[in-house]
Amino acid sequence: EENIIERKGNDFWTINAHIHGKQFTISVGDGSQGMKWLGHVAIARYDEENHQGWKKLGIPIAIRAHSLEGFDIDMTLLIKDAIQNGDHVYILT
């Protein structure tokens, strides 16, 4: 039996991650990854050549919604439970 997963357009989320003056649009699929994962991806992408931003920035210590002054998002939550498709988040290291 063939296993077919039907995907609708809104099942593929993107999140705009801001980190130390850079912005990245990160594809997060259906949002089932954790917020901490999103922070780590943004940190890795900070180093645009080697994707090893953690060597300079370390780990995410907080993720804020909508602006640097926004509220802290619980990093143990799933993306889809914490924010919406297309939202902007700010990663602090």
Side-chain angles (χ1 to χ4, degrees):
E1 179 178 314
E2 190 174 338
N3 184 10
I4 298 174
I5 299 173
E6 185 177 318
R7 296 270 187 184
K8 296 178 184 167
N10 60 359
D11 285 345
F12 292 103
W13 286 25
T14 58
I15 303 298
N16 299 290
H18 301 259
I19 184 165
H20 293 278
K22 294 184 179 184
Q23 176 185 338
F24 304 99
T25 300
I26 300 174
S27 296
V28 298
D30 64 1
S32 61
Q33 299 91 340
M35 289 299 300
K36 190 172 186 177
W37 172 88
L38 179 63
H40 283 289
V41 171
I43 288 169
R45 291 194 184 170
Y46 182 83
D47 172 8
E48 296 177 64
E49 274 187 40
N50 300 309
H51 297 290
Q52 296 181 350
W54 63 86
K55 288 184 176 180
K56 180 176 181 178
L57 301 180
I59 62 170
I61 59 168
I63 300 176
R64 294 198 176 138
H66 310 295
S67 73
L68 279 173
E69 295 78 33
F71 63 89
D72 285 355
I73 299 169
D74 182 344
M75 290 197 296
T76 64
L77 293 175
L78 297 179
I79 293 167
K80 65 183 177 183
D81 295 335
I83 56 178
Q84 299 295 314
N85 184 18
D87 274 357
H88 289 256
V89 295
Y90 291 75
I91 314 300
L92 285 72
T93 59

